[in-house]
Every structure is written in structure tokens, then in C-alpha cells.
Amino acid sequence: MATVTEGPVNLFANRSYIEILLVTAPQVVTIDRVVTPIWYIIGFIGNPISAKIWLSRTVCKSNSSALYFGILSIVETLYLILHVIYELHMAWGYNTYHKRVSCELFNFFFITPQYMVPMLVLAFTTERYIAVCHPFVSEKYCTVTRAKIVIGCMSVTSIALGLVQVYIWAFDDAIGCVFRPSANGFHTIWTWVTEMLLFLVIPVACLVINVLVIREIKRIQFQSAAHGQGSNPASTTTLLCVSFYFILTLLPATIFYAIQTSVPQGNPYLSLEKWASDPTWKSYFLYLTMRKAVEEICLSNYASYFIIYYITGTYFQKACKEMCMRFVGNRMMRSPNRAKHTDYSMSTNNGNAGKYAETVILTNLEP
């Protein structure tokens, strides 16, 4: 989802957003501080591995879907890096981007990958629809070259949309990073249009396309007709799982975002200590807690595709195991204990024979 506003923080310029939440809704902070690092661990390990596998020459040179998956993993990694900066401010109270220039630039960089991800999911979902439902034209439209062009166009579009954030956001000496006063009306319209288009229309479109793909697969299976593409069932399962997970994690967050203006806030001039007992504020903080939980589920969208790839993709499983074996093998070869063992074994051989045997082992373990 797009950048979340900081609520009624403007009324308490001498207190940070996190300080207000610790007094009024500490459970929101707890969810943020406990759950988010889990997604970081999964994402920072899984996404680079996914990118390395999908973008390897043996895979992506003839598989356009692998190219989409690889770029998606890179974009999600970049987003998680930026999210760490965002989280340090929102959940831990560190001033990481509330400064001149960095305020506008950070919001631009932060939202651009969020625009990119739905476009990529729509692209490979549409490609899979063509491959399954219109196989005779798949060789024309489902190519690596065309995928590169589509990814390039989507990158330019995401950057162009993200640049608008430079105009929307501004730094205020008293408050910090806020919406530019001169862009209030434009900001409201722009946010609604982009949010609904990218985070509602695209997921619904993916849902419709997936239903059509599943119907076609069932029809083919029912007729027991050979499809002529042996690798399609597994790859189709992976694509459908990624697409459905994207829909299920994004749509609830979009709904919560859409209803936020209809959730009333209490009297902002009450003391913070009284907010927790005020009925209106209690309802608002209940909504805020539910929204935070949904946002954490949405964040998993940027971290957990590696798990889906591993569960549904036979080739991906094999590649992961081989990568782990190479990593462990290299670590063993470089460890001091291994070096001592090697010196001893070499000393028991005659002349260069031991050196030659060790060279063969090293060669076999290279990636």
C-alpha cells in the first residue's frame, strides 16, 4: 500500500508519532516492532536467492515468467530496504527522513516499488492467461524480448507516478514531513485515483484472469487432451499461487485504506491520557490496530514469495538445494579444520598427486 499518513500528530508538534501511540495505542507499536522484523528476515534471505535463481542465464534466457519473477524479487528487496528506514521512524522513533529534501525524495523512492509490484503481477498473470487460454499466439506474445520491453515500460511508468510525491510532500520546520499545503486538493484526488487503480483495479483484474485460467485448465483436464507443453502445469501453479497471494494480501489493505476517512476521530484537544478512555478515540484506535495487523499481512507480500516458489516449483527446489550444497561445500573448504585436514592428507601422498586431487575437489565445488 502507499505511504500511510501519521494521523493527528500535527496537534502535538512537541511529541512524535511513536510517543503518541505508546500512550494511546501501545498494541499498534507492539505489532509493528514484533511482526515486521520477521518479514525482514524472510525477505532479505529469500528475495536475493529467488532473484539469483530466476535471473540465471539457464532459466531466464528462454522463460519470460522467470524474468518477471526475478525482477519482482529485486523490486521487493529494494522496497524492504526502504521500509527499514520507514520503520525506524514510525515504530522506533528515529528521525530517518524527516529532513529537507530527504522528505520528498524518500516518499518518491518509497512508493515507486509499491507501484511496480502490482504491474509486474498483472503482467505475468496476463502472460499465463495467454499461454493457457490462447496457446497458438503464446510464441508471439510470451517471449523474453517482449517481457523486457514490458518491464521497461512499467519501470518508467512507476517512476513517473512516483515523482508526483515530490510535489505532494514537503518538510515543515515545526511538524516535519507533511503534505504540502498547496497540494491538499490535488493530493486527495491523486491518492484516490492511484490507490484504486493500482491496489484495487489491478488485483481484481488479476482475480478475473486467474478464474479464466483455472476454468481453462479444468476444461483441458476434463477432456484429457494433451496440451503439448510439459512444463506448464508446474509453472502455472506457481504463477497462480503468487497471483492469488498478491490479491489476498493487498485487497484487505486497500479496503482499510478506503474506509479510513469514514472512521471518526475523537476530540483532539483532550489530553493524551484521556484519549484511551474516550469512546470515539477507542473506536478509532481499534480501527488503527486492525489496520496495522492487515498492513503486516500486506507486508508479507514483499517477503514470502520465496516460500511459494519453493513449495510449488520443482526446479526452484532443486536449484535452492544445489545452491545450499555449494555454499556449505565452499565454507567447508575454507574452514581452518578443513585446511588442516587437507595438509595432512596431502602429506600422505607422493609428490604432486595430493595437490592434484585437492584441485579436482575445489573445481567440482565451484558454482
Side-chain angles (χ1 to χ4, degrees), residues 54-85:
W54 292 127
L55 296 180
S56 63
R57 287 188 176 184
T58 56
V59 179
C60 73
K61 68 178 182 181
S62 59
N63 190 328
S64 55
S65 296
L67 185 60
Y68 285 119
F69 283 154
I71 299 298
L72 181 63
S73 299
I74 293 175
V75 172
E76 289 176 335
T77 302
L78 292 175
Y79 173 75
L80 288 179
I81 294 172
L82 292 166
H83 198 276
V84 171
I85 301 173

Side-chain angles (χ1 to χ4, degrees), residues 218-346:
K218 286 185 176 181
R219 186 186 68 83
I220 293 172
Q221 292 176 343
F222 180 77
Q223 294 178 351
S224 300
H227 199 276
Q229 299 179 4
S231 62
N232 265 353
S235 60
T236 299
T237 301
T238 300
L239 286 157
L240 286 173
C241 289
V242 170
S243 188
F244 271 121
Y245 190 80
F246 163 77
I247 295 166
L248 293 175
T249 55
L250 199 61
L251 279 179
T254 304
I255 294 172
F256 268 86
Y257 174 83
I259 66 174
Q260 68 176 347
T261 55
S262 62
V263 180
Q265 298 181 13
N267 182 2
Y269 298 101
L270 292 174
S271 64
L272 289 181
E273 289 72 18
K274 294 182 178 179
W275 282 20
S277 59
D278 181 76
T280 307
W281 277 120
K282 287 176 66 175
S283 299
Y284 176 77
F285 290 129
L286 175 61
Y287 158 78
L288 204 61
T289 303
M290 295 172 63
R291 190 180 77 176
K292 177 53 64 178
V294 171
E295 286 175 355
E296 290 297 333
I297 296 173
C298 182
L299 182 62
S300 70
N301 185 57
Y302 298 90
S304 55
Y305 286 160
F306 168 81
I307 299 173
I308 296 176
Y309 299 148
Y310 191 85
I311 293 175
T312 61
T314 304
Y315 173 82
F316 193 86
Q317 293 176 11
K318 181 180 178 182
C320 281
K321 292 176 182 177
E322 290 177 352
M323 188 181 298
C324 291
M325 290 177 64
R326 286 199 299 268
F327 176 78
V328 172
N330 287 333
R331 295 287 293 180
M332 290 178 63
M333 295 301 297
R334 296 170 184 171
S335 66
N337 292 334
R338 175 62 181 174
K340 293 178 181 178
H341 174 73
T342 301
D343 292 340
Y344 175 79
S345 62
M346 288 172 65

Side-chain angles (χ1 to χ4, degrees), residues 37-151:
I38 296 175
W39 299 130
Y40 288 160
I41 295 171
I42 297 173
F44 283 129
I45 295 174
N47 287 339
I49 294 175
S50 301
K52 182 175 177 59
I53 293 175
W54 292 127
L55 296 180
S56 63
R57 287 188 176 184
T58 56
V59 179
C60 73
K61 68 178 182 181
S62 59
N63 190 328
S64 55
S65 296
L67 185 60
Y68 285 119
F69 283 154
I71 299 298
L72 181 63
S73 299
I74 293 175
V75 172
E76 289 176 335
T77 302
L78 292 175
Y79 173 75
L80 288 179
I81 294 172
L82 292 166
H83 198 276
V84 171
I85 301 173
Y86 174 79
E87 191 73 4
L88 285 173
H89 171 71
M90 296 294 288
W92 298 93
Y94 294 99
N95 184 9
T96 52
Y97 64 91
H98 276 220
K99 304 171 185 177
R100 292 195 180 277
V101 181
S102 63
C103 168
E104 295 87 341
L105 289 179
F106 175 78
N107 281 285
F108 158 63
F109 287 120
F110 189 55
I111 204 168
T112 298
Q114 296 183 65
Y115 288 157
M116 185 74 174
V117 168
M119 296 182 190
L120 287 170
V121 175
L122 177 63
F124 65 67
T125 302
T126 303
E127 186 186 70
R128 186 51 39 174
Y129 165 78
I130 295 172
V132 173
C133 300
H134 304 282
F136 296 108
V137 298
S138 62
E139 292 185 2
K140 178 181 178 181
Y141 294 104
C142 304
T143 64
V144 174
T145 301
R146 189 175 291 272
K148 290 179 179 178
I149 295 173
V150 171
I151 291 171

